[in-house]
Amino acid sequence: KLVTGVQTCALPIWRTLLAVANCRLPVVAAVHGKCLGAGAMIALLADELVMAKGAELGLPEIHHGMPTPVGYVIVAARAGMPVARRMVQDGDPVGTELADFTCFREDLMAKALERANRLAHGGAAFQVNKAYINAPLVAAMEAALAAAERAG
């Protein structure tokens, strides 16, 4: 059953991805362990990504027979096509190379809060920039979702 073009089971995930991309406030993700699937997509959509040493991001959907063109679009926007292709087609996780900042686990939340506060100082200018930066990404995510639904 489809709900406005999104499969019912995927609707909460889709709404969350859009909420992160369209949030007017800074979104900083803090990852301290394995962050997979939709969690990785949310982290990669954040304005900044802070990861603890040894943390990983992954899109293992292919191992379960699930296409993830939306995941591809999100990873490609942050890391480029080669990394996105590897993560989506092989299901291989990546380490902290996609992080904006890396720190020890015990410093993770302090660093994430520091970054969020710094970004928040941009005020209305930050909001305008974020909306402009993310508009093509959201459009590409919507196209990828439509492609996934046509395929399956």
Side-chain angles (χ1 to χ4, degrees), residues 3-142:
V3 176
T4 61
V6 179
Q7 291 182 359
T8 304
C9 63
L11 189 58
I13 295 167
W14 180 247
R15 285 183 178 156
T16 301
L17 294 174
L18 288 178
V20 171
N22 293 324
C23 183
R24 293 172 52 113
L25 299 174
V27 176
V28 177
V31 177
H32 65 80
K34 290 187 183 291
C35 187
L36 305 173
M41 289 184 231
I42 292 166
L44 290 165
L45 272 175
D47 300 306
E48 289 194 359
L49 174 57
V50 182
M51 295 178 70
K53 294 179 186 301
E56 292 182 334
L57 299 166
L59 297 173
E61 286 84 347
I62 197 155
H63 298 304
H64 305 284
M66 298 167 53
T68 182
V70 174
Y72 175 84
V73 166
I74 292 168
V75 176
R78 180 175 277 269
M81 288 176 55
V83 174
R85 188 176 295 117
R86 187 177 78 240
M87 287 180 71
V88 169
Q89 295 294 73
D90 293 340
D92 291 344
V94 296
T96 58
E97 61 266 26
L98 299 186
D100 296 297
F101 298 93
T102 304
C103 59
F104 292 107
R105 185 175 179 166
E106 57 269 14
D107 301 324
L108 185 65
M109 291 309 297
K111 185 64 172 177
L113 289 171
E114 170 194 320
R115 296 305 308 156
N117 286 327
R118 171 119 187 206
L119 294 175
H121 284 298
F126 173 87
Q127 294 170 0
V128 170
N129 289 344
K130 181 175 180 173
Y132 182 79
I133 290 166
N134 284 353
L137 173 58
V138 170
M141 288 167 52
E142 289 169 346

